[in-house]
Amino acid sequence: QALERSGAAFTAWAGSTVVACAGYIHFWPGRAQVWAMMSHDIRRYGPSIHRHVARYIAAHPVTRLECIIDPKFEASVRWARRLGFAHESTMRRYGLHGQDMDMYVFEGGRAWRT
């Protein structure tokens, strides 16, 4: 609920099954962070969800769009790169369990360079 109140949030359903939830956290004008939670069913619906997320990012530009990824979760790293995000830094002991996390920043399109 806190994520939903912080910016736009969406849920992808397949019948009565939640496949994915994703959204933006707006920190201040021009800076936002994306988040996503996926079910195990994502492989079946991944291409469609990817297209919708990419379209949303392109239609809602901000100066800086970030995402934080556990570098050990390789599927998230691959998806972020396909969407146009690039690794910016490693944040030491940032994760819930003290693990290192990586900051990725969107570099995928001119519309974002405002």
Side-chain angles (χ1 to χ4, degrees), residues 16-94:
S16 61
T17 302
V18 174
V19 176
C21 297
Y24 274 31
I25 300 169
H26 289 276
F27 293 108
W28 53 75
R31 179 177 173 228
Q33 189 176 94
V34 294
W35 61 269
M37 292 182 270
M38 308 292 172
S39 78
H40 293 290
D41 295 323
I42 191 65
R43 290 176 195 236
R44 184 172 176 193
Y45 303 101
S48 176
I49 290 170
H50 175 84
R51 282 191 303 275
H52 287 288
V53 169
R55 276 190 226 135
Y56 187 85
I57 289 173
H60 297 85
V62 296
T63 303
R64 180 178 172 88
L65 184 61
E66 309 166 343
C67 67
I68 298 171
I69 299 174
D70 182 340
K72 293 180 182 174
F73 190 28
E74 295 175 10
S76 290
V77 172
R78 285 191 306 270
W79 189 34
R81 289 178 189 239
R82 280 197 307 271
L83 284 168
F85 287 84
H87 181 265
E88 180 179 76
S89 63
T90 297
M91 300 180 297
R92 303 289 178 216
R93 297 176 300 281
Y94 185 87

